[in-house]
């Protein structure tokens, strides 16, 4: 029986190759250009924010430049600097930007003197994913400002307790601010600021490529349904005559499907070494459990329906819905909140996550 399966694998491989070549190329093309499909201007910046930055204190420009160039902010928010608070409000009102950030004239001096002037963040629409990104970024920046403010305020309190003249304490606080900003700029690369918006754990191209690969493998039921003979009485009878139980026959066919899938994946992995996707060669080992799981799913579906055509089209509908709800066709962050919460019960979500980790770490 093993010899028979081996011959069937050899005979069936051209059909498998044709399937993966056709859908694989389509999926890879979408992975390359999906960034432009989801986000305009070929940028990872998903959220446009208008801002007004006063020129009354050089710390405003220095601090804002530092913040806007952090990886977590740069990859998430595109800042559009305008000349007045009124222009910012108009841009938000007309829908040109998601939000507006208005920095008051006395912001820098007020932060360090303890008066805490408030930044004005302007929204127009209802609570959306884009607005949540802005709010999350503002929370991070507020914490950063709080650290600087605490340092300077501590100097003022210390000088006040020990009778140090105000002029000297101001000089000390200026030194602290300059040193703190310089230190922060020098140490920006200590941390990877790439998970603030929970989208950039992998680059967008890699996420699309990984999810597309899982989807293509699942839809291989279109071709493997014709390979699996678990519903064919003649094959079952032949297996029983050979002393093979239906369960063992299922496992043998699933393993055969896995072998063909793995050969296709190995060729894809080698091919992707010459692209910008950057798949790791260690994926050839790490992806074995994923390939095995998908092979058993595809074989099980092929056994469940007697007709290969029925198996193919029913699984296409089911897998497409499940992949969509798992964030494989569209990032979960763009979906309604109740669908995001439901995704924790979707096994395909974890299959996609494991695939990404196996391919790119």
């Amino acid at each position: 029986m093993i010899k028979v399966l081996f011959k069937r694998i050899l005979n069936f491989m051209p059909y498998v190759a044709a399937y993966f070549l056709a859908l694989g190329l389509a999926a890879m093309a979408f992975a390359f250009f999906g960034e432009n499909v989801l986000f305009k201007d070929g940028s990872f910046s998903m959220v446009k924010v208008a801002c007004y930055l006063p020129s009354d204190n050089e710390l405003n420009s220095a601090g804002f430049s530092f913040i806007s160039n952090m990886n977590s902010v740069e990859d998430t928010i595109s800042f559009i600097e305008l000349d007045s608070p009124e222009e910012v409000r108009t841009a938000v009102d007309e829908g040109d930007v998601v939000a507006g950030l208005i920095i008051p004239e006395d912001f820098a001096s007020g932060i360090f003197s303890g008066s805490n002037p408030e930044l004005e963040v302007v929204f127009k629409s209802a609570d959306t994913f884009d607005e949540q990104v802005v709010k999350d970024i503002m929370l991070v920046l507020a914490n950063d400002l709080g650290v600087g403010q605490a340092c300077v305020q501590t100097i003022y309190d210390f000088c006040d307790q020990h009778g140090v003249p105000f002029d000297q304490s101001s000089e000390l606080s200026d030194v602290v601010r300059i040193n703190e900003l310089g230190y922060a700029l020098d140490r920006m690369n200590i941390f990877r600021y790439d998970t603030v918006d929970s989208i950039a754990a992998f680059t967008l191209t890699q996420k699309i490529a990984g999810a597309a690969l899982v989807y293509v493998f699942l839809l291989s039921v279109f071709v493997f349904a014709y390979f699996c003979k678990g519903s064919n009485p003649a094959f079952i009878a032949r297996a029983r005559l050979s002393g093979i139980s239906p369960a063992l026959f299922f496992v043998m066919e699933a393993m055969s499907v896995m072998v063909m899938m793995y050969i296709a994946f190995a060729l894809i992995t080698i091919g992707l070494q010459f692209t910008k996707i950057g798949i790791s060669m260690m994926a050839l080992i790490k992806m074995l459990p994923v390939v095995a799981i998908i092979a058993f799913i595809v074989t099980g579906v092929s056994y469940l329906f007697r007709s290969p055509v029925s198996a193919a089209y029913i699984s296409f509908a089911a897998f497409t819905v499940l992949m969509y709800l798992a964030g494989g066709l569209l990032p979960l962050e763009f979906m309604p909140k109740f669908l995001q919460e439901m995704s924790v019960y979707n096994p395909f979500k974890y299959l996609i996550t494991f695939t990404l980790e196996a391919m790119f770490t």
Side-chain angles (χ1 to χ4, degrees), residues 125-317:
S125 60
D127 189 32
T128 64
F129 167 72
D130 289 349
E131 289 185 11
Q132 193 58 53
V133 169
V134 176
K135 291 174 183 176
D136 289 345
I137 292 292
M138 290 303 107
L139 178 61
V140 172
L141 302 187
N143 290 335
D144 290 345
L145 284 171
V147 172
Q149 185 181 21
C151 291
V152 174
Q153 197 62 49
T154 300
I155 291 174
Y156 283 135
D157 293 341
F158 179 84
C159 292
D160 185 56
Q161 292 173 6
H162 292 79
V164 177
F166 178 77
D167 291 342
Q168 292 183 27
S169 62
S170 297
E171 292 175 6
L172 283 172
S173 65
D174 288 340
V175 171
V176 169
R177 283 196 293 268
I178 293 170
N179 288 344
E180 184 181 40
L181 183 58
Y183 178 80
L185 289 171
D186 289 339
R187 309 292 283 179
M188 278 182 67
N189 294 324
I190 280 185
F191 303 103
R192 289 185 59 193
Y193 293 96
D194 59 2
T195 56
V196 169
D197 63 345
S198 74
I199 286 182
F202 301 94
T203 68
L204 181 60
T205 300
Q206 289 174 338
K207 289 196 73 171
I208 295 174
L213 186 68
V214 172
Y215 190 48
V216 168
F217 270 50
L218 286 168
L219 292 189
S220 63
V221 69
F222 271 90
V223 63
F224 286 122
Y226 292 92
F227 174 84
C228 298
K229 301 296 184 180
S231 58
N232 187 308
F235 270 81
I236 295 173
R238 186 175 180 181
R240 284 177 175 169
L241 287 174
S242 302
I244 300 174
S245 66
L248 181 57
F249 186 66
F250 169 80
V251 171
M252 291 174 67
E253 286 215 307
M255 293 293 289
S256 300
V257 170
M258 188 183 96
V259 169
M260 288 185 278
M261 279 189 180
Y262 185 76
I263 292 172
F265 174 73
L267 294 175
I268 291 171
T269 301
I270 294 170
L272 290 181
Q273 298 306 306
F274 304 98
T275 70
K276 68 176 183 178
I277 292 181
I279 185 173
S280 167
M281 287 299 290
M282 285 300 295
L284 291 173
I285 298 174
K286 294 180 179 179
M287 277 290 290
L288 273 171
V290 175
V291 174
I293 290 170
I294 295 178
F296 274 81
I297 291 174
V298 167
T299 306
V301 170
S302 301
Y303 270 52
L304 189 60
F305 303 97
R306 297 186 67 85
S307 166
V309 175
S310 299
Y313 285 104
I314 291 174
S315 61
F316 171 74

Side-chain angles (χ1 to χ4, degrees), residues 314-331:
I314 291 174
S315 61
F316 171 74
F319 291 158
T320 299
V321 171
L322 287 172
M323 283 292 292
Y324 173 78
L325 296 176
L329 305 181
L330 187 70

